[in-house]
Structure formats: C-alpha cells, structure tokens
Amino acid sequence: MIDEAGDEDALDRSDFVPAGGGEWRGLLFDNPTLGLAPQLTWSFHFPFQPVSRDHGSSPLTLDLEWLPIQADGWRSMAGRSASSSRFAEPGEASVYYFAHHRYDAIHLQIVEQRDLAIQVRATVSGDLDRLGVESVAADAWLHFAGITVSLSNTVTADAALARLSEFSDITGLAPAAAPNGIHFRFAPSGAVG
C-alpha cells in the first residue's frame, strides 16, 4: 500500500487482519507519590496478522490499557463498557507497528462472556502519532490472563489478595507467577503458572 505521500510502509485498514490469541487482564494499582488512590483497571490486547514490508516484518497489535470498568468481578464482565475521550484520561490506546503509535479516544464494549473468554468490540480514533489510519476497530474473543496487584503498602500475596477482594470478586483466583516480588498476580486456579 502506498499512501498519498508515497510512503510504501504506511498502514491501511485492510492490514488489520485478526490473528486470535488476544488477552484481557486486570491491574490493581496505586501511586501515593502522584496522589493516585488504589484503583482496579483493565487492559485488552488484540493481535492482528504481522505486516511485511520491503525492509522487514512487524507484529501488529492494538492495546487498550488503564480502563476502569465497574463490575462485580472478573466473572461478570458481559454488558460492560468503557470510553476515554483523550489519551491517558483515563485509558491509553496504542497500535504497535514497528513502534507504539498512540490513539486519543477509546470506545469499548464487552458483548459476551464464556468462562475465561470475553467478546470485546473496540474502536480507537484520533491518530496522535500520525500512523496514517484515523481509526482502528477490533472485535475478538480475548482470554483472561489474571489480575496483578501492585500496591505500595502490600508485601505478601495474602495481603494482596485481601486488598483485591475490596475491588473485585476473587472467587476462583489463585496466586500465579509474577514478574517480580513487588507485584502479585492472581489467575484462575486451573490456569496458574
């Protein structure tokens, strides 16, 4: 595809071919230094088929992060929605294509839930980094990857799970491998690892 400026590396909406294998996850986070109280937010990762150009190939993904969604817990997400009209207020959207490209607005709807999977429809718009595609839409089944607890005053897995229970139903969640000792990850007990 060559755009109006003659850039053969430019993306087109037709490049966004769903690849499957997407994930959704939660994050309970605070930052007292910045005055951020504990809040549970959700992230959604939509993979598309890699895109090849003359100089190489790149994964193509849409990532939506930091979205607060009011739900009783990770098992009751169907019918929920989230919107963000400006980047980082509160959600962040980016398309990865050789690098991250930010998008301003997010509209997300969780259509259905079947156990650990949710069907999510999302549209992002406002191409802040001039990727060349004004809006991107995704509609996919995403698999639950767990909830990470990263709170400044929480130092044990038991304490992290207790704090998480203040924000979400924790039924069926068990401690899972986490990236380091200051974060605690909880995943469905059959998927712990």
Side-chain angles (χ1 to χ4, degrees), residues 19-159:
E23 294 183 338
W24 63 289
R25 65 182 66 239
L27 173 64
L28 177 57
F29 177 82
D30 73 352
N31 187 329
T33 304
L34 297 177
L36 296 176
Q39 182 178 26
L40 180 60
T41 63
W42 300 94
S43 299
F44 306 85
H45 174 75
F46 299 86
F48 296 92
Q49 295 294 329
V51 176
S52 294
R53 297 297 188 247
D54 287 342
H55 67 284
S57 178
S58 173
L60 181 61
T61 62
L62 171 62
D63 290 291
L64 309 177
E65 300 176 304
W66 304 103
L67 289 169
I69 296 175
Q70 297 301 314
D72 293 334
W74 64 277
R75 291 184 179 271
S76 58
M77 299 293 282
R80 309 298 179 185
S81 62
S83 294
S84 181
S85 59
R86 297 192 57 78
F87 186 81
E89 294 181 15
E92 296 182 7
S94 66
V95 168
Y96 185 85
Y97 170 65
F98 290 106
H100 285 280
H101 303 271
R102 297 169 301 147
Y103 276 76
D104 218 9
I106 301 168
H107 177 73
L108 176 137
Q109 180 181 11
I110 301 169
V111 178
E112 187 178 347
Q113 182 164 10
R114 295 182 192 154
D115 196 25
L116 302 179
I118 57 174
Q119 181 187 8
V120 181
R121 290 187 184 136
T123 303
V124 299
S125 59
D127 181 8
L128 294 174
D129 296 320
R130 297 188 176 128
L131 178 62
V133 180
E134 181 53 33
S135 66
V136 175
D139 184 343
W141 282 91
L142 307 179
H143 186 77
F144 184 54
I147 302 174
T148 298
V149 176
S150 180
L151 296 173
S152 56
N153 62 354
T154 305
V155 295
T156 68
D158 288 342

